Amino acid sequence: MTPLSLFVMFFKISAVTFGGGIAILAMAKTELIKRGFPDEDMAEIAALATAMPGPIATSSAWLAGRKIAGIRGALASVAGVLVPPFSAILALSGFVLAHRDSAPLAAFFKGVLCAVAAL
């Protein structure tokens, strides 16, 4: 796999995944094994990513990308994981700031806080 294909794969996974790093790790495992990545290597990456400090999504993307395509693959994989949520935050921040005193928006964020705590 090329760094570009790694970026696209992790971008797609990150763009449609809810549930954080564990969900991204599970989908990445499925996608990488479909592309011929050894299951034993994926198990090693999962163990290392959960043991490393920081988010599991970026750790697993870094480790998989590095194993497949070196440093360029690692950087492309991490960028693919980070671009979708960063873009969503950037796109929605103006709306949220403009309506920060709204009761429905405050209720929504209370619900999000509960969901995040439950996850």
Side-chain angles (χ1 to χ4, degrees), residues 1-102:
M1 293 180 76
T2 67
L4 180 60
S5 64
L6 284 166
F7 173 83
V8 170
M9 183 188 75
F10 278 103
F11 182 92
K12 287 178 182 178
I13 291 170
S14 181
V16 299
T17 305
F18 295 97
I22 296 295
I24 288 175
L25 181 61
M27 285 186 71
K29 176 182 178 183
T30 302
E31 291 300 315
L32 287 169
I33 289 174
K34 273 197 247 178
R35 290 168 172 81
F37 194 72
D39 194 31
E40 300 81 30
D41 288 350
M42 197 60 220
E44 182 181 322
I45 285 171
L48 284 171
T50 55
M52 289 173 66
I56 293 172
T58 54
S59 298
S60 59
W62 176 268
L63 292 167
R66 172 134 177 149
K67 184 103 175 161
I68 294 168
I71 293 293
R72 292 180 60 194
L75 292 171
S77 298
V78 170
V81 167
L82 295 178
V83 168
F86 178 79
S87 300
I89 290 168
L90 195 61
L92 294 173
S93 63
F95 174 81
V96 171
L97 290 174
H99 297 89
R100 66 177 161 243
D101 297 327
S102 165

